[in-house]
Amino acid sequence: MAVNINCDMGESFSLYTMGDDEAIMPYITQANIACGFHGSDPNHMRQTVELAKRHGVSIGAHVSLPDLPGFGRREMKIDRAEMANIVIYQIGALKEFLSIAGLRLGHVKPHGALYGMAARQDHIAHAICDATQHLGVPIFGLSGTLHEEIYTARGLQFTPEFFADLDYDDQGRLLITRQHPKLDPDAVAQKALRAVRDGTVLSPGGVENPVRVETICIHSDTPNVLAIAQSVRAALADYLADPTATQTDITGATHG
């Protein structure tokens, strides 16, 4: 696909299950695997790497603040050097599992509150660069934020990401929530298509803001994520096959 679909995965921990990775994996092209600081553990990390390998899905490190109880969705005050070391530690763990599987790291994506902090706090964005600059892999982020400004200034490969199952406010800022509600799969697909086709996103208040999209994110902890993944994948495939089709033509189709 000219536009990738990524999903945050491998977030189960011990006996606690988060998401249905096995069902979702066939509908995505990039898996962001949790590295133990917001979710996952050694067993789930290895299982998710092996699952992605079976489906030919590229793997990225989904790095987080050290906040397992809060699922990485609570902000913390951490200085640049410590934040860089926290990111390096997580990537190192995942890279060993990738090495055993004969795979390479495909990208890095900050998770939750860390993602939001890096979008607006210089020292956090620089810490992400400090930790990843030697890797030579893309870093996912939001266009028009410090993600793009600092990552590109530091010479990193920046991949603009769009969140299909989250809202953007009237200023075009991503609204990161601690829990994700059940959503209408067709509405999510329409939103993703608007972003790809028109380069815009509508806020809940109806304000239109510009976005750039090279990869579309869905979350494995959205309650009906499988239906969302299927709908987004099918609608995107139809659009890329025939970009002249209208949004109604695409999302009104029935897909198995």
Side-chain angles (χ1 to χ4, degrees):
M1 285 189 171
V3 179
N4 282 294
I5 301 173
N6 76 79
C7 185
D8 303 343
M9 310 189 89
E11 294 176 320
S12 297
F13 177 77
S14 184
L15 300 180
Y16 302 96
T17 300
M18 179 73 73
D20 189 349
D21 293 351
E22 190 145 6
I24 299 165
M25 196 70 78
Y27 299 97
I28 66 170
T29 57
Q30 297 167 317
N32 317 310
I33 297 183
C35 300
F37 274 35
H38 75 278
S40 201
D41 55 37
N43 290 330
H44 284 104
M45 286 175 69
R46 185 164 192 174
Q47 290 167 11
T48 312
V49 165
E50 292 170 352
L51 177 64
K53 181 179 181 179
R54 290 200 300 272
H55 288 275
V57 172
S58 176
I59 294 171
H62 202 203
V63 296
S64 172
L65 297 170
D67 181 26
L68 193 59
F71 202 64
R73 290 176 177 160
R74 302 180 296 188
E75 292 198 2
M76 296 179 173
K77 291 186 177 180
I78 299 178
D79 66 28
R80 175 173 168 175
E82 183 178 3
M83 191 69 255
N85 289 335
I86 287 169
V87 172
I88 291 167
Y89 185 94
Q90 294 175 79
I91 294 172
L94 180 63
K95 283 189 71 178
E96 282 304 299
F97 288 118
L98 291 173
S99 179
I100 290 168
L103 301 173
R104 292 185 178 182
L105 183 70
H107 63 274
V108 173
K109 175 182 172 178
H111 164 79
L114 178 58
Y115 193 95
M117 290 166 66
R120 63 182 188 280
Q121 296 181 24
D122 289 54
H123 76 287
I124 297 296
H126 278 293
I128 301 298
C129 296
D130 296 342
T132 61
Q133 197 159 21
H134 66 289
L135 296 172
V137 300
I139 314 298
F140 288 5
L142 295 175
S143 62
T145 71
L146 291 182
H147 292 166
E148 182 172 21
E149 179 182 333
I150 290 178
Y151 299 167
T152 55
R154 290 281 301 270
L156 277 68
Q157 301 176 56
F158 169 71
T159 298
E161 179 178 30
F162 179 74
F163 288 79
D165 55 0
L166 292 181
D167 284 329
Y168 291 69
D169 68 14
D170 289 349
Q171 287 72 47
R173 296 172 300 203
L174 183 66
L175 298 173
I176 299 174
T177 55
R178 288 196 66 189
Q179 291 183 311
H180 300 150
K182 186 175 181 179
L183 300 170
D184 178 353
D186 286 339
V188 174
Q190 284 189 4
K191 183 177 175 182
L193 285 172
R194 175 190 288 271
V196 172
R197 185 191 63 192
D198 302 333
T200 61
V201 62
L202 287 177
S203 72
V207 177
E208 185 175 87
N209 282 288
V211 290
R212 288 202 299 118
V213 188
E214 289 182 15
T215 186
I216 297 169
C217 177
I218 56 176
H219 290 87
S220 63
D221 62 320
T222 299
N224 58 332
V225 63
L226 179 57
I228 288 171
Q230 292 169 331
S231 184
V232 171
R233 172 85 182 211
L236 185 60
D238 285 350
Y239 171 73
L240 293 174
D242 182 10
T244 64
T246 66
Q247 196 171 68
T248 302
D249 292 339
I250 294 167
T251 57
T254 299
H255 302 280

